Amino acid sequence: MQSTSLGLSLLAGSALAAVTPEQAAQLGKTLTPLGAEQAGNADGSIPAWTGGLPSNSGQQSPEGFLDDPFANEQPLFTITAQNAEQYQDKLSPGQLAMLKRYPDSYRMPVYPSHRSVALPDFVYAAVRSNAQNTQLVAGGNGLTNFQTAYPFPIPQNGQEVVWN
């Protein structure tokens, strides 16, 4: 009886790895098709995701690479040793140390944020399927019912985040 209960509890735990259809329905609505929040932040420094760059956003080189669609952008501001205190709450200890160690040469130009990633529709469909079907196996050492891209667009635990 105890071993049956243990076996059922283990099976129930692995069944929880996939999200419900209601949760998966948020992909492409309040979440991006890959599972990130679509909304930007309150101060606008992180914009909302609106579908990524259009397919005609840059000229293609003969080698198949696209031009930088943001090549003409200028920095919003530059962080230097002289103004680092103003941005201290946004800087890591390592960045602050670099500014202190190299006050005349180390600087950090800050450009606008972009959420420009876009993938083909077949990838978005696979990720939605993964959300509802992919599960961890063997204590998190493998996956079942996985197609491509991100196995867990709406991760439910740390192991799923690692697999992403």
Side-chain angles (χ1 to χ4, degrees):
M1 178 94 163
Q2 287 179 345
S3 63
T4 302
S5 297
L6 175 62
L8 289 175
S9 68
L10 291 174
L11 287 175
S14 65
L16 293 175
V19 299
T20 67
E22 293 78 21
Q23 288 173 303
Q26 295 309 305
L27 295 169
K29 293 181 181 165
T30 60
L31 300 175
T32 68
L34 300 180
E37 288 185 33
Q38 270 192 340
N41 66 355
D43 70 9
S45 61
I46 300 173
W49 184 81
T50 58
L53 289 175
S55 60
N56 63 352
S57 61
Q59 297 295 323
Q60 190 170 1
S61 72
E63 295 84 20
F65 298 103
L66 292 178
D67 291 337
D68 179 356
F70 310 113
N72 295 326
E73 282 188 349
Q74 296 300 312
L76 299 171
F77 54 92
T78 300
I79 301 172
T80 65
Q82 290 72 36
N83 67 4
E85 195 171 299
Q86 177 182 349
Y87 302 103
Q88 187 169 349
D89 63 327
K90 306 249 188 290
L91 299 173
S92 72
Q95 291 167 326
L96 290 167
M98 291 291 288
L99 288 163
K100 185 175 181 180
R101 178 173 246 178
Y102 304 104
D104 298 326
S105 60
Y106 187 73
R107 55 191 63 249
M108 299 170 57
V110 178
Y111 289 85
S113 293
H114 300 282
R115 296 182 69 190
S116 54
V117 70
L119 298 174
D121 288 337
F122 77 88
V123 174
Y124 295 152
V127 170
R128 180 175 283 233
S129 176
N130 291 342
Q132 295 180 75
N133 299 304
T134 302
Q135 295 184 354
L136 295 168
V137 296
N141 292 317
L143 303 174
T144 185
N145 302 319
F146 171 64
Q147 291 184 37
T148 189
Y150 298 96
F152 304 105
I154 308 171
Q156 305 295 301
N157 59 55
Q159 287 182 319
E160 292 180 3
V161 171
V162 169
W163 273 100
N164 283 344

